[in-house]
Amino acid sequence: MSELKTWVNWLDAAGKLQSAGEDYVLVTVLGVRGSTPRDNGAKMVIARADSYGSIGGGHLEYRAHQIAAEMLAQKTSAQRLEHVALGPSLGQCCGGRTSLLFESFLEGQWNLMLFGAGHVGAALAPILAQLPVRLRWVDSREKFLQHALPATVEAIYSDEPASEAAAMPAHSGYVIMTHDHQQDYEILQAVLARGDAGYVGLIGSKTKWRRFQLRMQHQGRPEEFFAGVRCPVGLAGVPGKLPMEIAVSIAAELICFQHARDGERTTLRGLTGAALEPVQPS
């Protein structure tokens, strides 16, 4: 969010927040009577951590932040109209009355980064494109990203795929399945080092995962650092070794995780033998 602090214009801030996948509330002054700090049409944007623009400051904005926080906590897009007497209710010296329209814009898409455009990645990306997911698809081999992609999928060619994780919003999901084990390891390190991943899935055998764990432990990483990683990624209850079969198992796991994340208490018990919970920040 720190990048946005210099964006004081509400329209610019709203666009940046939307691109970053952040929830926000737009507050608009709809009507005024008497002495008020701002005129009709004044706007401000209130996000979870920062605000942009102004409707007059003081207790009025403090109350606006309280209402916006309530709306953001509801996790559903909504509108709310508040009529405020500035003198009696807020103790401001203006003494007039103002009406405020609150409109919450909650990001319905889950931000997900898929590393690897090989056979499984090429099968998985079209499935994810049909879900409420904003997908960034990364590979170090440009020719492997030559696919017709929908607007919800962004193909990223990068010589250093691990560096691309830095651009993702907090609580994003990551699926790592490149053609190179060392590249997988570097990406995994970069993702876990952020400390805010919502989901981390790594393709590979149990042997590969054990080797990765030992490498991280030798580097001084505690087990908590990588405890939430799903490896092998995908539902064990979905059999098959074909690329499409593996892709379906991974997509199914992501769907279950997303429902659990959204509070619907979905678990994978019976399919994997354990409930799937979000990865906790390290």
Side-chain angles (χ1 to χ4, degrees), residues 77-219:
S77 297
Q79 292 184 331
R80 177 171 169 178
L81 185 62
E82 291 283 330
H83 304 286
V84 183
L86 300 180
S89 63
L90 297 182
Q92 292 198 191
C93 60
C94 298
R97 301 179 66 87
T98 186
S99 297
L100 301 178
L101 174 64
F102 294 80
E103 300 173 275
S104 60
F105 296 86
L106 305 187
E107 180 55 50
Q109 292 182 318
W110 185 25
N111 289 284
L112 187 67
M113 182 164 277
L114 170 61
F115 293 93
H119 295 303
V120 178
L124 179 59
I127 299 174
L128 297 178
Q130 300 176 65
L131 300 174
V133 167
R134 177 180 286 116
L135 180 64
R136 293 176 174 91
W137 193 11
V138 184
D139 201 290
S140 59
R141 305 162 299 171
E142 189 172 11
K143 67 177 182 179
F144 282 84
L145 288 170
Q146 304 303 317
H147 303 275
L149 302 173
T152 55
V153 180
E154 178 185 359
I156 301 174
Y157 163 67
S158 176
D159 288 327
E160 298 181 1
S163 67
E164 300 299 327
M168 294 295 284
H171 313 302
S172 296
Y174 303 86
V175 179
I176 305 169
M177 51 172 63
T178 77
H179 63 289
D180 181 83
H181 282 204
Q182 178 59 28
Q183 195 171 101
D184 282 352
Y185 184 77
E186 293 172 357
I187 293 168
L188 181 65
Q189 288 275 75
V191 168
L192 294 179
R194 287 179 51 117
D196 62 0
Y199 170 95
V200 182
L202 173 68
I203 200 167
S205 65
K206 292 181 180 180
T207 300
K208 172 184 175 179
W209 178 226
R210 183 57 185 156
R211 288 173 178 169
F212 277 22
Q213 289 175 304
L214 289 173
R215 288 182 66 180
M216 286 185 278
Q217 288 173 337
H218 290 160
Q219 292 176 336

Side-chain angles (χ1 to χ4, degrees), residues 20-99:
E22 299 284 348
D23 302 337
Y24 66 92
V25 174
L26 175 63
V27 187
T28 305
V29 177
L30 282 188
V32 297
R33 292 184 62 184
S35 178
T36 58
R38 296 294 300 273
D39 295 328
N40 285 340
K43 297 178 184 289
M44 71 179 299
V45 167
I46 301 175
R48 296 188 185 275
D50 291 301
S51 62
Y52 315 90
S54 175
I55 56 170
H59 289 287
L60 178 62
E61 282 194 10
Y62 178 77
R63 177 58 182 152
H65 275 82
Q66 288 180 317
I67 295 172
E70 293 172 7
M71 297 180 72
L72 290 173
Q74 292 172 359
K75 297 184 179 181
T76 56
S77 297
Q79 292 184 331
R80 177 171 169 178
L81 185 62
E82 291 283 330
H83 304 286
V84 183
L86 300 180
S89 63
L90 297 182
Q92 292 198 191
C93 60
C94 298
R97 301 179 66 87
T98 186
S99 297

